[in-house]
Amino acid sequence: ARLTPECIKVDTSNTFTGNGEDYSGTTSTTLTGRTCMNWNQIVLEGELYLESTPGEYALGNHNMCRNPGGEKAVPFCFAEGDKTKSATVSFCFAYPGCDKCTGAPDRLRSCNPSDCKYVDEGSASRTEYYWKYCHATCCAAAGCT
C-alpha cells in the first residue's frame, strides 16, 4: 500500500523563508554530510506520524529535506545514526531564512556566531536561546545583514 504521494512538486532554487515550512527544494543531505532517509521509510518505521494529507507537506517517495508543519527551526530529515540503526532528526540548513532577522539587537554581552548554527535536534534548544538573545550576531552569521 502506498502511504504517501509518488509525485511531488520541487523547487530547484533551494531557498526558503522563516523556518522553511514552505521549503520544497532538493537538498537531501544533512549539515554533517549524512544522506537523508526516504520519507516513506520513516512513516513505515513509525518515526513520523502519518498525516492524512502528506502531500500538503511535500512528503512522499523521496529523501529531500522538509519541515512538515513547521515544527522545527529549519528544514530537516531523518538520517541513520552513525553508530546505531535508529533514525535521528538532523538539520539540513544551519540558519533560518533571513526574513527572521528583524533588526533586534544582541541582549547578551558576549555572543559567538558559532552558537547560532542549527546542527541537530539535541542542540536545537541551545541554538534557539542564542537566536533569541544574540539576534544581531546570529543574523550576521547567517549572512542576513
Side-chain angles (χ1 to χ4, degrees):
R2 194 172 80 192
L3 296 177
T4 54
E6 293 298 317
C7 298
I8 60 160
K9 182 178 178 181
V10 294
D11 175 8
T12 57
S13 71
N14 277 330
T15 60
F16 62 92
T17 58
N19 64 3
E21 181 177 4
D22 63 345
Y23 178 73
S24 61
T26 58
T27 298
S28 61
T29 55
T30 69
L31 289 171
T32 57
R34 292 187 286 160
T35 300
C36 297
M37 296 171 71
N38 187 296
W39 286 101
N40 278 355
Q41 182 179 352
I42 299 304
V43 171
L44 289 170
E45 291 181 354
E47 295 287 344
L48 183 71
Y49 55 90
L50 180 60
E51 290 290 333
S52 59
T53 56
E56 176 182 338
Y57 297 125
L59 300 179
N61 188 22
H62 66 83
N63 69 334
M64 294 173 275
C65 302
R66 297 291 181 261
N67 192 359
E71 293 181 13
K72 307 289 183 204
V74 292
F76 68 96
C77 70
F78 287 86
E80 286 191 14
D82 291 331
K83 297 181 181 174
T84 67
K85 286 288 186 184
S86 62
T88 58
V89 170
S90 296
F91 295 117
C92 302
F93 297 91
Y95 307 106
C98 287
D99 58 311
K100 296 276 281 187
C101 293
T102 60
D106 287 346
R107 293 164 52 189
L108 297 179
R109 288 184 186 181
S110 178
C111 294
N112 186 336
S114 65
D115 293 328
C116 302
K117 288 184 179 180
Y118 288 95
V119 177
D120 57 35
E121 196 168 35
S123 63
S125 61
R126 180 177 183 269
T127 305
E128 284 293 325
Y129 172 85
Y130 284 103
W131 270 91
K132 182 175 181 179
Y133 293 105
C134 295
H135 195 74
T137 297
C138 290
C139 287
C144 299
T145 55

